[in-house]
């Protein structure tokens, strides 16, 4: 606190600004080495973040929002003077105040007097230091515009406290994924959140999702909510109740997707912009579709047709299957009986296996095989499922990637998905179908936001079963022959993609170019 306090004091004295009594608490130091980093109120928040220890930022889920992003979202939340006059602009997790400053600038641009602009702002945060920083930033902004104000920024918990109606809610609430011990919510707080938000609180509910729900409940009809959220919110199973409750009260009018410039946190983010309706009613908000649109994923309509699940059985393993084969993996020694070549997702390219080693269970392997004779329980059943002609489908890839195993000599490691055709003679047809650009786009539009990274797709068992496939005929036969040839390097994968789309009745050069730009070239 002392470092940022001294920087603030020095900088405001440089401008001959007289601190009001409420801000004299910042007078912890007069001259400090970081003083030169402060030139205006917009610099206080970034300095506050830089001074925080990395572990502390992770624990609190706190990451500073760039000014340009805060300004863009505030402009969406306050599109015109009518929206600005609906009521207070609230940031429920204000941090150093970047959204509040952006809102002050936006209100000023819409013709609101500087003093009135700050009076309309409400900030709240659990971090006392952040609250002091935000208060100082707003006071400084007002002073630069000749206004004397007492900013309304308070220490408080927006997820448990009712802070009154708002005309707009903006901000970047903390991301606290529940799969990591450092950010998981303890039992006492989870119980308190469940008391306040009911069945919206699930086992893996990120509190950031609840900020969106609380904001929609707080904002008045016609008002907007624009919060930075993890992309998982748009598609995660445990966020479904939150999305449903928001759907009943608000329309999704826009979605901003981070292009990688905004945050140091290793989380893909988005910012859905919501407008509160006057009358609650069921909504048709397409959360995943909005993310797909913002990410530039082509829109594709394939119409009713047969699905992959009608022609094949799809099998996906879990952690037990993964760990169950670890001790059975060895380097190939020429012994073939009872051994299957291990294949990981990283070893699969479109239509063929990569001719290199695999990385599995923390080790690099030159030519790994699995002794299936020693497997037991679920791992033995996982191997049995794969014993025969099949396709192995990689996950977390930029396009659908699969390889055919007509001889049944491969064993895919979780999370590789196994597809076994009911008719082995259709193996190459199904391989071709999986490499149609239209099918990749179709799957992306149903799984965006669920993969480990924003640019990857996540072909789950259910989605693969629902994949549309071509009608029988000469066009699909041609695609199948091309896929068979591509598996041995005798044909180009791009030709498989073109023929597979044609078999689906799709002739779209833009779609093909999109797919071709994403596919691996290794």
């Amino acid at each position: 606190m002392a470092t940022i306090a001294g920087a603030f004091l020095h900088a405001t004295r440089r401008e001959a600004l007289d601190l009001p009594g409420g801000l004299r608490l910042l007078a912890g130091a007069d001259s400090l080495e970081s003083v030169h980093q402060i030139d205006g109120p917009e610099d206080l928040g970034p300095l506050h973040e830089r001074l925080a220890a990395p572990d502390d930022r992770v624990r609190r889920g706190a990451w500073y929002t760039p000014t340009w992003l805060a300004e863009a979202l505030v402009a969406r939340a306050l599109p015109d003077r009518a929206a600005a006059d609906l009521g207070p602009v609230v940031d429920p997790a204000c941090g150093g105040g970047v959204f509040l400053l952006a809102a002050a600038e936006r209100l000023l641009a819409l013709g609101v007097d500087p003093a009135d602009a700050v009076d309309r702002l409400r900030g709240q945060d659990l971090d006392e230091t952040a609250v002091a920083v935000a208060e100082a930033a707003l006071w400084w902004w007002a002073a630069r515009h000749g206004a004397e104000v007492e900013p309304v920024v308070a220490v408080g918990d927006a997820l448990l406290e009712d802070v009154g109606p708002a005309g707009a809610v903006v901000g970047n609430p903390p991301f606290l994924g529940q799969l990591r011990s450092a950010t998981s919510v303890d039992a006492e707080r989870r119980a308190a959140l469940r008391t306040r938000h009911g069945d919206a609180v699930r086992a893996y509910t990120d509190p950031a999702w609840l900020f969106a729900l609380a904001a929609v409940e707080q904002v008045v009809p016609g008002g907007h909510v624009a919060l930075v959220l993890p992309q998982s919110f748009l598609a995660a199973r445990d966020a479904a109740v939150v999305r449903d409750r928001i759907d009943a009260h608000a329309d999704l009018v826009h979605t901003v997707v981070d292009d990688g410039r905004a945050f140091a946190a290793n989380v893909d983010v988005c910012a859905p912009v919501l407008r509160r309706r006057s009358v609650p009613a069921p909504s048709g908000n397409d959360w995943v579709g909005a993310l797909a649109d913002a990410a530039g994923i082509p829109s594709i309509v394939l119409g009713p047709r047969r699905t992959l699940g009608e022609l094949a059985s799809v099998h996906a393993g879990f952690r037990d299957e993964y760990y169950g084969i670890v001790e059975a993996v060895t380097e190939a020694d020429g012994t073939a009986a009872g051994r299957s070549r291990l294949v990981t997702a990283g070893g699969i390219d479109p239509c063929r296996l990569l001719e290199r080693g695999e990385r599995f269970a923390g080790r690099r392997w030159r030519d790994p095989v699995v002794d299936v004779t020693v497997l037991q329980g679920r791992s033995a059943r996982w191997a049995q499922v794969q014993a025969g002609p099949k396709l192995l489908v990689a996950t977390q890839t930029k396009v659908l990637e699969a390889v055919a195993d007509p001889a049944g000599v491969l064993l895919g490691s979780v999370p590789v998905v196994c597809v076994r055709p009911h008719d082995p003679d259709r193996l190459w047809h199904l391989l071709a179908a999986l490499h149609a650009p239209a099918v990749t786009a179709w799957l992306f539009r149903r799984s965006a936001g669920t993969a480990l990274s924003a640019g990857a797709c996540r072909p789950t068992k259910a989605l693969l079963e629902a994949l549309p496939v071509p009608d029988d005929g000469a066009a699909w036969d041609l695609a199948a022959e091309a896929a068979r040839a591509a598996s041995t390097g005798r044909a180009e994968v791009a030709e498989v993609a073109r023929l597979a789309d044609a078999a689906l009745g799709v002739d779209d050069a833009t779609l093909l170019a999109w797919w071709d730009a994403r596919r691996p070239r290794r």
Side-chain angles (χ1 to χ4, degrees):
M1 179 85 179
T3 301
I4 196 168
F8 170 72
L9 265 178
H10 186 93
T12 51
R13 285 173 180 169
R14 227 170 32 219
E15 298 187 24
L17 299 175
D18 184 25
L19 288 174
L23 289 178
R24 295 190 188 280
L25 61 93
L26 288 172
D30 288 330
S31 60
L32 295 155
E33 57 189 29
S34 61
V35 166
H36 69 279
Q37 298 173 311
I38 296 291
D39 292 314
E42 67 281 355
D43 296 325
L44 289 175
L47 178 59
H48 172 55
E49 189 214 3
R50 288 196 298 272
L51 293 176
D55 289 348
D56 185 48
R57 289 204 301 270
V58 170
R59 179 182 56 79
R60 293 188 291 113
W63 301 93
Y64 177 76
T65 308
T67 299
W68 62 265
L69 179 57
E71 291 174 346
L73 293 181
V74 166
R76 293 278 183 181
L78 301 172
D80 50 38
R81 181 60 190 253
D85 290 339
L86 286 174
V89 180
V90 175
D91 185 344
C94 65
V98 62
F99 277 93
L100 295 175
L101 285 174
E105 290 286 355
R106 179 62 178 168
L107 291 170
L108 187 66
L110 291 172
V112 179
D113 175 82
D116 188 23
V118 176
D119 283 343
R120 296 187 187 202
L121 304 179
R122 302 288 184 271
Q124 193 170 15
D125 204 285
L126 290 171
D127 182 350
E128 294 183 5
T129 303
V131 167
V133 171
E135 182 184 15
L138 288 176
W139 172 85
W140 192 355
W141 182 90
R144 278 189 163 182
H145 288 84
E148 294 184 5
V149 296
E150 293 186 9
V152 182
V153 188
V155 176
D157 189 339
L159 291 183
L160 299 179
E161 301 169 8
D162 185 0
V163 294
V169 180
V170 296
N172 176 15
F175 300 176
L176 298 171
Q178 299 305 292
L179 292 175
R180 299 178 60 184
S181 59
T183 56
S184 61
V185 174
D186 61 37
E188 181 179 357
R189 179 159 179 79
R190 184 173 297 280
L193 291 173
R194 188 168 284 119
T195 298
R196 170 69 174 82
H197 300 285
D199 62 352
V201 181
R202 300 291 187 91
Y204 298 107
T205 297
D206 188 323
W209 307 345
L210 300 177
F211 274 94
L213 176 59
V216 167
E217 293 173 344
Q218 178 184 10
V219 76
V220 300
H224 290 78
V225 172
L227 296 176
V228 178
L229 298 171
Q231 285 187 17
S232 58
F233 169 70
L234 301 179
R237 180 195 61 189
D238 276 19
V241 174
V242 176
R243 293 193 301 267
D244 288 345
R245 284 172 56 177
I246 289 175
D247 284 349
H249 296 282
D251 294 318
L252 180 63
V253 296
H254 187 75
T255 303
V256 177
V257 175
D258 177 30
D259 60 4
R261 295 184 295 155
F263 296 100
N266 188 26
V267 179
D268 293 314
V269 306
C270 62
V273 181
L274 299 152
R275 182 174 56 232
R276 177 73 183 258
R277 290 192 298 276
S278 298
V279 180
S283 168
N285 288 332
D286 182 5
W287 296 92
V288 176
L291 176 58
D293 286 338
I297 298 169
S299 180
I300 187 71
V301 178
L302 294 176
R305 57 174 66 242
R306 282 187 306 176
T307 64
L308 184 68
E310 295 177 61
L311 303 179
S313 59
V314 181
H315 306 272
F318 300 92
R319 290 185 179 182
D320 288 349
E321 285 85 344
Y322 176 89
Y323 290 110
I325 70 172
V326 170
E327 298 300 323
V329 177
T330 61
E331 290 286 5
D333 60 2
T335 302
R339 284 166 170 75
S340 297
R341 178 182 170 184
L342 178 70
V343 177
T344 67
I348 298 174
D349 252 13
C351 292
R352 64 184 303 177
L353 287 177
L354 292 176
E355 295 180 1
R356 60 167 176 76
E358 298 276 8
R359 185 166 186 82
F360 175 73
R363 286 184 55 186
R364 176 70 65 182
W365 301 82
R366 185 182 67 257
D367 188 11
V369 295
V370 181
D371 183 354
V372 297
T373 65
V374 302
L375 298 179
Q376 298 179 352
R378 292 182 61 168
S379 56
R381 291 191 292 273
W382 178 238
Q384 186 176 8
V385 159
Q386 300 188 51
K390 61 183 176 292
L391 303 177
L392 296 179
V393 184
T395 57
Q396 310 293 343
T397 52
K398 291 187 175 183
V399 300
L400 270 178
E401 300 176 26
V403 64
D405 178 24
V409 296
L410 305 178
L411 180 66
S413 167
V414 174
V416 170
V417 182
C418 172
V419 177
R420 292 195 60 171
H422 300 325
D423 179 358
D425 290 339
R426 307 298 284 174
L427 184 69
W428 302 105
H429 288 78
L430 297 183
L431 181 65
L434 288 174
H435 290 93
V439 165
T440 285
W442 182 95
L443 189 142
F444 254 108
R445 285 194 158 268
R446 286 153 182 80
S447 65
T450 64
L452 294 178
S453 66
C457 63
R458 183 168 174 253
T460 63
K461 178 181 184 294
L463 283 174
L464 286 173
E465 288 174 337
L467 280 181
V469 297
D471 296 325
D472 289 332
W476 199 7
D477 292 341
L478 283 174
E481 286 304 313
R484 185 197 296 265
S487 70
T488 57
R490 293 182 292 109
E492 293 293 332
V493 173
E495 180 66 3
V496 178
R498 185 186 68 80
L499 291 171
D501 261 3
L504 286 164
V506 176
D507 182 11
D508 188 332
T510 301
L511 174 64
L512 183 59
W514 170 80
W515 180 90
D516 194 55
R518 298 176 64 85
R519 71 177 176 92
R521 288 171 170 79
R522 293 181 287 191

